[in-house]
Amino acid sequence: MGKSKLLEMNNVGIVVENLDNAISFFTEIGLTLEGRGMVEGEWAGQVTGLENQSVEVAMMVTPDGHSRLEISKFLTPETVSDHRTAPVNSLGYLRVMFRVDHIDELVSRLIRQGAELVGEIVQYEDVYRLCYIRGTEGILVGLAQQLNEK
């Protein structure tokens, strides 16, 4: 038997209250809806430890096809905690970062749709322009535009 090795990162999960709004927000950033459906039954509860659960899930994929967001709305059991408005220095998973082009134009579009810029768009050396925004339901998203791309 060989030693196991990491093959790829499959997805990052985000739990929301309004699945349609979250799909719209991440579509505006540039992800594509890959599929949508229900996850329920005994097997699902055995994986998560939540026993009887009913979850509507949307899988969104990045343009390169390598990264995915699994956006979930729990119908049962109801959610028990809320990290969405926690500051970036809180413990736990708090944000996802995307590499984008034309960061100023994208941020302007997202703000027109209700997103909020957390601080400022800043430049890190001659490498990136980046920022954090709070999108639908206060979800924290990082955006980074690579400079001098080769």
Side-chain angles (χ1 to χ4, degrees):
M1 178 180 253
K3 181 180 176 187
S4 68
K5 63 180 179 178
L6 178 69
L7 301 177
E8 68 180 18
M9 185 182 91
N10 190 279
N11 69 64
V12 172
I14 298 175
V15 176
V16 298
E17 290 178 321
N18 188 313
L19 200 57
D20 291 327
N21 286 349
I23 291 168
S24 178
F25 173 72
F26 286 108
T27 297
E28 190 69 32
I29 290 175
L31 282 78
T32 302
L33 181 62
E34 186 175 52
R36 185 171 178 167
M38 294 300 295
V39 175
E40 51 195 349
E42 186 177 334
W43 72 270
Q46 289 173 326
V47 171
T48 63
L50 294 177
E51 297 180 13
N52 186 22
Q53 68 182 40
S54 180
V55 184
E56 188 176 5
V57 174
M59 190 66 75
M60 302 205 63
V61 63
T62 56
D64 65 4
H66 295 295
S67 302
R68 287 169 176 72
L69 283 181
E70 179 182 297
I71 306 170
S72 304
K73 175 183 173 52
F74 276 80
L75 306 174
T76 58
E78 64 183 53
T79 55
V80 295
S81 64
D82 190 341
H83 308 281
R84 292 174 294 184
T85 58
V88 72
N89 62 339
S90 300
L91 296 175
Y93 297 98
L94 289 166
R95 67 141 177 90
V96 61
M97 175 77 74
F98 296 104
R99 186 167 65 98
V100 301
D101 61 4
H102 308 292
I103 192 170
D104 295 296
E105 187 275 332
L106 176 57
V107 168
S108 292
R109 269 192 295 128
L110 294 172
I111 288 172
R112 282 194 303 272
Q113 292 192 357
E116 295 180 23
L117 189 59
V118 172
E120 301 174 33
I121 300 175
V122 299
Q123 186 162 325
Y124 171 71
E125 298 180 351
D126 291 330
V127 182
Y128 285 103
R129 293 188 69 235
L130 57 135
C131 68
Y132 286 170
I133 60 167
R134 285 213 183 265
T136 187
E137 296 188 34
I139 295 171
L140 188 61
V141 174
L143 302 173
Q145 177 182 338
Q146 188 171 350
L147 303 173
N148 303 320
E149 202 167 343
K150 296 174 176 135

